[in-house]
Structures are given as structure tokens and as C-alpha cells.
Amino acid sequence: MSKIAICIGVNNVANFTQLKGATLGAIEFSKWASAQGYETKLFTDEKGNLVRVREIYDFIKDCLEEMRYEQIIVYFSGHGISRGPNQEFWYLSEGGDNDNEIIGLTRSADDARNCQIKYVLFISDACRSLPTDYYQPTSGQTLFAKQKVSTNNTIDIFYATRPGAPAYEIAGDNLKDAHGIFTESLIDYLSGEVPETVVNNDIDEGTEIKRYLSKYYDPVKLSADINYKSLREENQKWIISAPEVDLKLKEYVESRAFGVTQGQSPEIRVQNHKTQYPLATFTDIEGKNLMLKNWIISKPVVQPAHPGMFKVNVLKDVKDLSINLWNNKSDQNHLAIQVENVAEKNVFASDKLFKDPLYDQYTGIELIGETMIDFITPAYSRNIPWRYRNSNSISFHHEQP
């Protein structure tokens, strides 16, 4: 299957705040696409280059006229706004003071419906905030030339954030580490980090049966003998397509945006797929290794008999624990197990917060023998007043129990 990924990254737009990770996001997505067998084309403002509508439009027009691609991904990372329902815009280098250099995402998606490409995916790692009075874009420019083709093709759109909200980037320690939360999450997701969203469509007696990787293989048996079981046919693959992305990417991004001021929740718009269009493909042995990798990471940690006093020295461990507790906040047994296991990761956690009825109205944490470095609570407790009593204790309570 011939497929191409067109990756656009714009850090600098006139009259807008300079971004640090948009260009890098396009480059990283292009690398992932290339590794997955896509032809790739990059448009970035690296080294002072200007990214212009006409160049992208002409390139896509050539792709349509060549009639050799069955799938096209159009990825964008940069500044964006939403003027209202179905009025989404991407800003190119000169878009801040030239309406002719603004891409109309919705218009482009509408025009893509009349091309011969069977599957077109737009990925938008951009804000969807409302424009100011000064920045009121027109309809924006289309990226797809008008064609009189009746194809009944499939058009999907992945938005990095919900309507009216910003999309965040993490600056990192230096420019080379800057990245958008959505792009980083999407690349990891499409690389198979969530085995329960990796599937194999096995055609059995005329019926399509989705076999999920996480249910097909037993990790214990797989670790003992990697060949204990295989896919039915040698040419079968494990895949991730847009419907599988729609299964869990939203919560995957939300967990990674944990701690960001307003959080970030993507919107995944997926059509009814009558035909499968894999975005990522894995061989059977690659699928097995994904399963084993995920199982090793999630295996319960054996707790030492007397852990003694530990000091938090790796903030990533704190973040991972916090995300884990947040995602499983309704499962009391899971919480108890996590609290018991964290000492080996040098993290303290209090199970009193989760299961002691006396703590419904007022509670606190006492850390004995060490100084508190960081304090993390789920997002829903953001409005609960709290204060440090001293360097190793904290208290918080509801205004109205």
C-alpha cells in the first residue's frame, strides 16, 4: 500500500508567541512515519525558512495527480485557532499578518472528500482557542485542489485538544527537548505502547474478527516460550488504525498532561471505517515483543520486608505513581497494592487519603524522617484549600464537607 505523510511544523508566526517544539514535532512525526514505511515530506521553518500555503498546496496537488497513494496523512504542529464549530485554522509563517497564509483545516478536509485518495488523515497539534478581535481569519486556504471524483473515501481528524482550549508544549531542559504533549503521546501510542489497542483483523469464513494483542497472548506463557503461539497466517500483521486510536488516546494524553494548568483532552473524529487503513503495522514477533515489554513494565514490584526510610530522588517516579493512582482511582484494591509497592521506587504515598472514612472532611499527611519535596493530588482536588504546616507535613480540607 502506497502512503505518504506530509509533516508541517511552524515555530514562528508574526504577532504570535514563539513556539519551541512545533518544528521538532513535525520532524519527530516524520521519523516515525518513515520507520512505518510512509514516504515523507517536511515543511518547517527551521533555519529561518518560511512555510507557505502555495508550496504545500502544489505538493499535495502533485500527489493527487500522480494517483499512486492510497493513504495521505497531513500533520501540522504550530499555532491554531477555532472561530467556532467547524471553523478551524492553522497559521503558517506569514499568517499573523497575511490571511492568505492561513490554512482552513475544515475547508481542506471538505475538499479532500472529493479526491481519489481512499484515506486522508489530518493531525492537528495546535490550539483551538477563540481568536481575538484583531485576529479574525477569513475562510482560510485549502490544501486540496478541487476534483470531480466520486470516491466515498474516508476522512479522519485528530485534534490535540478540545474546542476552545489550548494545546500545550513542554519546553524541556533545552530546545532539543521541546515537544508538544499530543505529538509525543501520539507517536508513543502508534508505536504500540498500549497493547490493548493493537489488533489483528483475522478474516474467518467471511467474518471480520478483531483479535486484540493484549488478549491474544498470555504474557506469562510468552515469556517462557515466545513461540508458544502465533498468528494463524504468516502474512498477518498487528495493526493500529484510527478506530483503535479512538479507543484510548484521549485518556492517554490526559494522563500525560497531568499537572498542566488546565489539562489537555484531545478530540478524535473518526468516520465509520468500512475498510481498514492501518496507520501503524507490526509483524507477529514485533507484536509479541510489545506485549512482553508492556508486561515487564507493569509487573508488580516485590516489596522488601523492611524498606526503612527512603528519599524521593527521581521525580519521574512520583509522576508515574501519581498518574497510575489517578487512572485507577475507583479501584481501592489497586490503590492499596500501589501504595505497598512504591517504597522500592523511593516514593511515599498515603493510603489514608483513599479509604479512611474519618478523612472525608479533613485530612493530612505526616512525613517522618525526611523533608517533603513535592505534593501531588488528583485534578479534582484542585479547589480544596491546603497548606504546609511545616517542612514535612501538609493539611487540607473542604470548605463545605
Side-chain angles (χ1 to χ4, degrees):
M1 178 182 293
S2 184
K3 52 190 182 180
I4 187 168
I6 299 161
C7 305
I8 309 162
V10 184
N11 279 336
N12 303 295
V13 178
N15 301 313
F16 281 75
T17 302
Q18 182 184 29
L19 299 175
K20 294 181 172 63
T23 293
L24 183 60
I27 293 171
E28 291 302 311
F29 190 84
S30 176
K31 289 179 181 177
W32 168 84
S34 180
Q36 277 289 329
Y38 290 79
E39 292 183 35
T40 59
K41 177 65 176 179
L42 262 174
F43 294 93
T44 73
D45 60 353
E46 237 190 348
K47 299 179 181 178
N49 294 328
L50 294 179
V51 181
R52 292 190 169 97
V53 172
R54 186 73 199 193
E55 295 171 358
I56 305 171
Y57 174 89
D58 286 344
F59 182 83
I60 292 178
K61 184 179 179 182
D62 289 342
C63 291
L64 300 180
E65 291 177 349
E66 289 175 8
M67 296 184 66
R68 65 188 184 91
Y69 298 108
E70 294 186 7
Q71 291 184 213
I72 286 184
I73 295 178
V74 181
Y75 167 96
F76 175 82
S77 181
H79 280 293
I81 66 169
S82 177
R83 200 171 61 182
N86 297 317
Q87 298 182 72
E88 309 282 347
F89 302 94
W90 293 340
Y91 280 74
L92 300 188
S93 301
E94 298 174 324
D97 49 23
N98 182 354
D99 279 359
N100 295 312
E101 291 300 324
I102 301 173
I103 293 173
L105 170 55
T106 312
R107 180 183 174 188
S108 297
D110 286 341
D111 287 339
R113 297 183 189 282
N114 296 314
C115 75
Q116 80 277 7
I117 307 299
K118 294 180 180 178
Y119 180 65
V120 182
L121 169 64
F122 293 89
I123 299 174
S124 177
D125 193 353
C127 293
R128 300 174 74 188
S129 307
L130 293 173
T132 63
D133 291 338
Y134 183 74
Y135 296 110
Q136 286 286 350
T138 60
S139 61
Q141 307 302 313
T142 183
L143 292 180
F144 279 73
K146 295 187 182 299
Q147 294 186 308
K148 294 181 180 180
V149 180
S150 179
T151 58
N152 192 29
N153 59 1
T154 303
I155 312 294
D156 291 333
I157 306 178
F158 296 171
Y159 291 105
T161 190
R162 58 192 178 278
Y168 293 98
E169 66 175 16
I170 303 300
D173 295 330
N174 54 62
L175 275 177
K176 293 182 179 179
D177 295 330
H179 62 273
I181 291 175
F182 180 74
T183 292
E184 181 188 58
S185 301
L186 179 62
I187 291 174
D188 289 344
Y189 190 99
L190 290 175
S191 297
E193 281 201 3
V194 189
E196 59 264 40
T197 65
V198 181
V199 304
N200 170 257
N201 283 8
D202 186 9
I203 307 301
D204 187 6
E205 297 180 356
T207 303
E208 186 181 77
I209 303 174
K210 281 193 174 181
R211 303 181 187 277
Y212 289 86
L213 177 61
S214 61
K215 296 180 179 179
Y216 191 78
Y217 288 119
D218 181 331
V220 177
K221 293 180 180 179
L222 204 58
S223 63
D225 178 11
I226 200 167
N227 295 314
Y228 94 96
K229 185 180 182 182
S230 297
L231 287 174
R232 294 183 175 186
E233 304 293 337
E234 289 186 7
N235 62 347
Q236 285 182 324
K237 305 288 185 182
W238 293 104
I239 66 170
I240 303 174
S241 59
E244 284 76 60
V245 172
D246 195 27
L247 289 175
K248 284 193 174 285
L249 181 63
K250 185 174 184 290
E251 62 185 75
Y252 194 65
V253 173
E254 288 174 346
S255 69
R256 291 194 169 198
F258 185 88
V260 174
T261 307
Q262 299 177 8
Q264 182 172 332
S265 183
E267 181 184 358
I268 310 301
R269 294 189 183 181
V270 178
Q271 279 188 250
N272 179 30
H273 281 228
K274 296 179 180 179
T275 303
Q276 198 75 43
Y277 300 103
L279 299 175
T281 305
F282 310 94
T283 63
D284 194 26
I285 189 63
E286 288 172 337
K288 291 177 177 179
N289 287 329
L290 287 175
M291 190 65 184
L292 285 173
K293 177 183 175 182
N294 182 72
W295 176 67
I296 291 171
I297 290 174
S298 62
K299 276 174 61 178
V301 178
V302 178
Q303 178 71 11
H306 301 287
M309 288 298 173
F310 289 84
K311 185 175 181 179
V312 178
N313 53 21
V314 182
L315 291 182
K316 182 180 182 300
D317 290 337
V318 178
K319 178 182 177 183
D320 290 346
L321 170 68
S322 181
I323 290 172
N324 197 309
L325 294 178
W326 167 248
N327 287 339
N328 296 279
K329 58 186 179 293
S330 61
D331 187 338
Q332 298 294 329
N333 291 330
H334 179 86
L335 291 174
I337 292 171
Q338 288 298 310
V339 170
E340 290 173 4
N341 290 339
V342 295
E344 187 160 303
K345 284 195 171 185
N346 304 333
V347 178
F348 283 110
S350 172
D351 59 353
K352 298 292 186 185
L353 296 174
F354 306 108
K355 62 185 182 183
D356 190 333
L358 296 178
Y359 282 62
D360 284 347
Q361 299 180 17
Y362 184 88
T363 188
I365 297 173
E366 288 287 339
L367 180 61
I368 302 172
E370 295 291 351
T371 300
M372 188 178 300
I373 294 176
D374 203 357
F375 176 63
I376 302 173
T377 67
Y380 62 76
S381 67
R382 189 175 295 141
N383 295 323
I384 300 175
W386 57 271
R387 63 184 176 84
Y388 283 103
R389 292 205 299 270
N390 52 53
S391 62
N392 66 346
S393 65
I394 193 168
S395 65
F396 53 98
H397 64 279
H398 292 274
E399 290 286 5
Q400 297 179 337

